[in-house]
Structure formats: C-alpha cells, structure tokens
Amino acid sequence: QVQLQESGGAVVEIGGDLRLSCEAIIRAFGVNNMGWFRQVPGKEREWVATIGWSGLPYYAEFVANRFVISRDNDENMVWLQMNNLEPADTAVYYCNQVVRTGEQWQPVIEPWGPGTQVTVSS
C-alpha cells in the first residue's frame, strides 16, 4: 500500500530552524526521485526541493541555500532541514515521489499525504 506521511512541522520564530520528515511507503523507493512541496491556502502547491535516487539535490530558487534535502533509502525516509526560516515559508509541506518533466518536477502519487504545517511567526 502506497503511503506518504509527513511530520515535524511547528510554529517557529523568524530565523529559526526546523527538520521535516517524510516516511514514504512506496514501491522501489531507493530508485525513485523524492520531493518536497508546499502550499498556502488559496494558492497552488509549489515545488520546494528534490533529491534524486542517488542523492543529488535540486532546490527552488526561493530556498536560497537555506534548506537541505536528504534521504535514507534503507528506511524509506526523506528529510528537509530548513534553516533561517522566513514568514514566507509558512505553509503546509508535503512530500511525494517526483519525475522530471522538462524543467519542472511533477508529483506522482495520489492521494497526497496529510502534510505538516510550518508557521513562521514575526
């Protein structure tokens, strides 16, 4: 059974750090690219970061060297270390298996997991 479960979200102050976790019960986890997305109410979900099956990372421009994505293929886990958080980072964060389509990373699995809420207070 395919399942995505995110955790680690919290309320933090500006400049604070958080580490999000994702347990991804999917087939062939170790050979699939995994990504993080985020969504603010009223806006479309946006891509944040991807980690390739070999560990190569890709980041959205707005990450600006503040986030680090990592994975453990033996544990089916993906993490997103977020540093120096800004109010604009406030969102629900989701993980998903991703594939590259042109210049974009597209999610593969439906339905999405429940996500985890990150709130950066000013």
Side-chain angles (χ1 to χ4, degrees), residues 10-23:
V11 178
V12 296
E13 294 182 348
I14 294 175
D17 305 331
L18 275 178
R19 189 187 195 211
L20 306 184
S21 300
C22 167
E23 182 178 20

Side-chain angles (χ1 to χ4, degrees), residues 2 9 11-12 18-19 22 26 31 37-38 40 42 44 48 59-61 68 72 86 91 93 96 102 119:
V2 174
V11 178
V12 296
L18 275 178
R19 189 187 195 211
C22 167
I26 64 174
V31 296
F37 296 79
R38 69 186 188 184
V40 175
E44 290 191 356
V48 176
Y59 299 100
E61 285 191 14
V68 178
D72 184 330
E86 305 167 350
Y93 284 72
N96 206 317
T119 302

Side-chain angles (χ1 to χ4, degrees), residues 48 59 63 65-69 80-83 85 89:
V48 176
Y59 299 100
V63 168
N65 297 318
R66 299 180 298 127
F67 297 176
V68 178
I69 189 170
L80 186 68
Q81 175 67 43
M82 304 190 297
N83 302 318
L85 285 161
D89 297 317

